[in-house]
Amino acid sequence: MALLEVKDLEVYYGVIRALKGISFEVNEGEIVTLIGANGAGKTTTMQSVVGLIPARAGHIIYDGKDITKLPCHKIVHLGMTQVPEGRHVFQELTVYENLLMGAYMRKDGDIKKDIKGIYERFHRLEERKNQIAGTLSGGEQQMLAMGRAMMCKPKLLMLDEPSMGLSPLLVDEVFDIIKAFNKEGTTVLLVEQNAGKSLAISDRAYVLENGRIALSGTGEELMQSEEVKKAYLGG
Amino acid sequence: MDFITTLINGLSIGGIYAMIALGYTMVYGIAKMLNFAHGDIIMVGGYTIYVFLNMTGHPAIAIITAIIFCLILGVTIEKVAYKPLRGASPLAVLITAIGVSYLLQSLAQIIFGSAPKMVTIFNFGTKNIGGLRIQISTIVTLIATIIVMIALSLFVKFTKMGRAMIATSEDKDATQLMGINVNGVITVTFAIGSSLAAIAGLFYLMKSPSLTNTLGSMPGIKAFTAAVIGGIGSIPGAMLGGFLLGIVECISYSIPVIAPYTDAIEFLILIVILLVRPTGILGKKRREKV
Ligand SMILES: Nc1ncnc2c1ncn2[C@@H]1O[C@H](COP(=O)(O)OP(=O)(O)OP(=O)(O)O)[C@@H](O)[C@H]1O
Ligand SMILES: [Mg+2]
């Protein structure tokens, strides 16, 4: 059974129909990527799944439960969270406090230990643990946003364009980290413009065009597809 | 010497303004609305103290009851009047808040009539300290407001709920992604703001014991001014603005030529500061996010 199943999802902004009935699924343990041009509806999909934008029609099923109408914070409690587009770290809090916010709903005693784990993965964050997050560089903010999301211990981690605005070296690092998270058991739903790199690490992928799913397949299949090559892989 | 007395008085009234300003600024920061009924909570606190002081004769019981009553009232107002308007136009929310303000004032007038009530809670008298004649209640007010403010600052900085409040004021969506119920955070904010207003009501009555249904209006406006001067949304800003305004007020009152224009001077300062720094002294311009 799919961990996340989206069925005929429609989302409107006023009268604008941003998602015109899309369906896709993410199975436990997979990395699934949505690729698509600017304005295709990727962010809308992500925000709608996590309950930040209401669905007009369709269903979102998570772990066998219909979460279409649930408010965001309750969905997060079921075990999914998102690194939103543009990172959205808490600018006025320190790096350490941001990580604590990630663990807000946890009641286990491993929080300190897990923060150490995050620091081990992101050395830059440890060096800057008392720095106000608003003063971090874009790359550091991305690391923090990912670390903060991991502090929620999600079963399903959604990332919306994590490589946006990063240097090539850092982009590689971000994809490595996503792969590592996945190896450790986190299911990943990824939105990317960087189609080449994301398809390479994906089990399956969907191409979103104008609020519709235009193509789907394994990462490999899509990388070989002429349409994808032409539109998203630059040749 | 006179100047020191004036300064202490200024700090004391400033502390009261700061305490009320905190309610405005926290609610503005977190719920993104101007709660114009906030000043009237002070008045409700005053009447609650009046009623329970007459009933029980115990100031402590009266004060604690007033705090609890105002807390519940503030939270109820938020749930009934403001929460349904979340996402509505700011103007609709503002008009609602003004409506709530008139409602509270009218209810108080219907229940207690329009003649002022005299409320003497404590009789501290005055004392000579190092050649200064100072009202003990002034000192008590000053110390109490400082304690409350330190406690609030520690709460915001070092507790989970405090961090959730900062997070909510900054980014509601990201806060929800942490599994935090933003409505709960807003409720706590109203609870804190209204309790502080009740305490401000107490100190106001200690300063001038005459209680009417418009008791909260002027301090409400002054404290709002203080919050804007300090930078609306900023907790240290509200404290700074409150003390600043209180000191200006007392200095101005102590100079006979300008004393009648004190209120005008305070609002003039607001205008000047807003011209120089539109976000207030400690207000931040939200950094645009990429
Ligand atoms: N708040 C909004 N109000 C109105 N229209 C919106 C809003 N947010 C998004 N849209 C529209 O919905 C469509 C999908 O936007 P969305 O942000 O989901 O695209 P995206 O695929 O994430 O694009 P990008 O790659 O540029 O981030 C766009 O046409 C956009 O203009
Ligand atoms: Mg997007």
Side-chain angles (χ1 to χ4, degrees):
Chain A
M1 192 182 62
L3 180 60
L4 176 73
E5 192 181 352
V6 173
K7 280 195 286 197
D8 305 319
L9 179 66
E10 288 184 43
V11 172
Y12 284 71
Y13 294 106
V15 295
I16 302 166
R17 194 163 162 230
L19 295 185
K20 298 162 185 159
I22 64 166
S23 302
F24 65 94
E25 55 187 46
V26 181
N27 297 309
E28 198 149 352
E30 280 186 318
I31 298 182
V32 172
T33 300
L34 304 177
I35 58 174
N38 292 114
K42 305 180 297 294
T43 298
T44 306
T45 306
M46 296 290 259
Q47 301 233 311
S48 183
V49 166
V50 84
L52 288 173
I53 300 176
R56 175 78 60 91
H59 289 280
I60 304 163
I61 317 285
Y62 175 74
D63 221 356
K65 194 174 171 188
D66 192 328
I67 59 166
T68 319
K69 296 252 149 59
L70 280 189
C72 177
H73 70 272
K74 290 204 175 138
I75 293 177
V76 172
H77 275 264
L78 295 177
M80 74 160 89
T81 193
Q82 185 172 137
V83 179
E85 186 177 24
R87 295 144 201 154
H88 291 257
V89 297
F90 298 114
Q91 312 249 332
E92 289 166 46
L93 298 178
T94 65
V95 168
Y96 174 70
E97 288 167 339
N98 266 277
L99 293 175
L100 279 182
M101 288 302 293
Y104 196 90
M105 59 182 186
R106 286 174 52 184
K107 298 199 162 58
D108 57 286
D110 291 342
I111 294 172
K112 287 264 158 64
K113 198 188 88 206
D114 289 348
I115 289 183
K116 269 225 183 77
I118 300 285
Y119 286 157
E120 262 153 41
R121 181 129 34 191
F122 307 107
H123 294 286
R124 292 281 278 263
L125 294 185
E126 174 151 40
E127 290 161 26
R128 295 165 189 280
K129 59 184 171 196
N130 293 319
Q131 189 172 327
I132 299 292
T135 61
L136 294 176
S137 77
E140 290 160 352
Q141 290 196 10
Q142 185 61 48
M143 300 292 152
L144 180 56
M146 289 171 70
R148 183 182 66 179
M150 285 314 288
M151 286 303 295
C152 296
K153 287 202 160 170
K155 257 194 285 189
L156 172 64
L157 176 64
M158 307 168 73
L159 301 111
D160 194 344
E161 300 208 33
S163 76
M164 188 170 52
L166 303 185
S167 68
L169 218 66
L170 216 51
V171 170
D172 288 342
E173 202 182 326
V174 162
F175 281 105
D176 285 346
I177 289 163
I178 294 171
K179 249 179 12 203
F181 280 167
N182 179 247
K183 280 244 160 55
E184 289 159 22
T186 311
T187 305
V188 174
L189 175 59
L190 180 64
V191 156
E192 262 300 334
Q193 298 269 3
N194 192 331
K197 289 221 161 63
S198 53
L199 290 178
I201 66 162
S202 298
D203 296 300
R204 292 184 307 107
Y206 296 85
V207 178
L208 205 57
E209 261 174 33
N210 261 319
R212 285 204 170 85
I213 303 277
L215 272 178
S216 67
T218 65
E220 201 119 338
E221 281 166 7
L222 288 188
M223 265 200 286
Q224 304 305 328
S225 134
E226 291 303 322
E227 282 175 69
V228 172
K229 274 189 193 164
K230 249 209 330 256
Y232 304 105
L233 297 171
Chain B
M1 275 306 160
D2 267 358
F3 183 71
I4 293 177
T5 317
T6 304
L7 205 62
I8 291 174
N9 285 334
L11 286 172
S12 168
I13 182 82
I16 301 178
Y17 288 159
M19 209 135 49
I20 308 166
L22 282 168
Y24 279 112
T25 226
M26 287 169 73
V27 164
Y28 180 84
I30 286 159
K32 302 287 177 262
M33 65 160 292
L34 286 178
N35 178 16
F36 258 98
H38 184 59
D40 298 293
I41 303 286
I42 304 167
M43 173 271 296
V44 173
Y47 277 109
T48 315
I49 289 175
Y50 165 76
V51 168
F52 281 84
L53 196 60
N54 282 351
M55 246 166 62
T56 66
H58 286 294
I61 293 178
I63 293 165
I64 291 168
T65 313
I67 293 173
I68 294 170
F69 185 71
C70 287
L71 184 157
I72 294 170
L73 180 67
V75 170
T76 309
I77 290 172
E78 196 276 324
K79 285 267 175 299
V80 174
Y82 303 151
K83 194 175 167 204
L85 290 175
R86 209 151 290 151
S89 90
L91 196 61
V93 183
L94 185 67
I95 291 170
T96 305
I98 293 172
V100 171
S101 166
Y102 280 123
L103 177 71
L104 293 177
Q105 289 185 20
S106 308
L107 282 178
Q109 191 167 36
I110 291 167
I111 298 171
F112 297 101
S114 47
K117 308 278 188 230
M118 285 301 155
V119 189
T120 333
I121 307 162
F122 299 111
N123 220 329
F124 288 127
T126 59
K127 204 168 182 165
N128 271 309
I129 304 172
L132 299 175
R133 269 185 67 76
I134 292 174
Q135 293 217 310
I136 301 296
S137 61
T138 307
I139 303 289
V140 170
T141 302
L142 182 55
I143 293 170
T145 50
I146 289 172
I147 290 172
V148 167
M149 277 179 236
I150 291 173
L152 185 69
S153 305
L154 294 176
F155 172 78
V156 170
K157 180 73 190 159
F158 292 110
T159 65
K160 261 174 100 170
M161 180 47 79
R163 278 193 295 275
M165 290 168 95
I166 299 178
T168 306
S169 75
E170 204 183 297
D171 194 328
K172 279 202 181 52
D173 284 359
T175 305
Q176 295 184 67
L177 285 174
M178 306 293 111
I180 296 168
N181 179 0
V182 167
N183 284 328
V185 177
I186 292 176
T187 303
V188 172
T189 308
F190 270 85
I192 293 176
S194 307
S195 323
L196 292 181
I199 300 174
L202 162 71
F203 292 142
Y204 233 80
L205 289 179
M206 277 164 60
K207 238 171 57 68
S208 53
S210 153
L211 172 60
T212 66
N213 70 331
T214 54
L215 174 83
S217 303
M218 204 51 178
I221 292 172
K222 290 281 178 69
F224 175 61
T225 307
V228 176
I229 287 177
I232 188 107
S234 155
I235 288 175
M239 298 178 186
L240 179 70
F243 282 119
L244 199 74
L245 206 65
I247 291 171
V248 168
E249 183 171 303
C250 285
I251 292 178
S252 170
Y253 269 132
S254 71
I255 305 170
V257 207
I258 59 169
Y261 308 108
T262 298
D263 288 349
I265 289 170
E266 287 171 71
F267 297 127
L268 191 68
I269 290 178
L270 171 71
I271 293 168
V272 171
I273 287 183
L274 285 186
L275 285 176
V276 182
R277 261 189 80 87
T279 54
I281 301 174
L282 295 181
K284 293 163 267 225
K285 231 175 124 180
R286 267 286 117 78
R287 289 218 311 171
E288 285 306 317
K289 278 162 209 136
V290 259

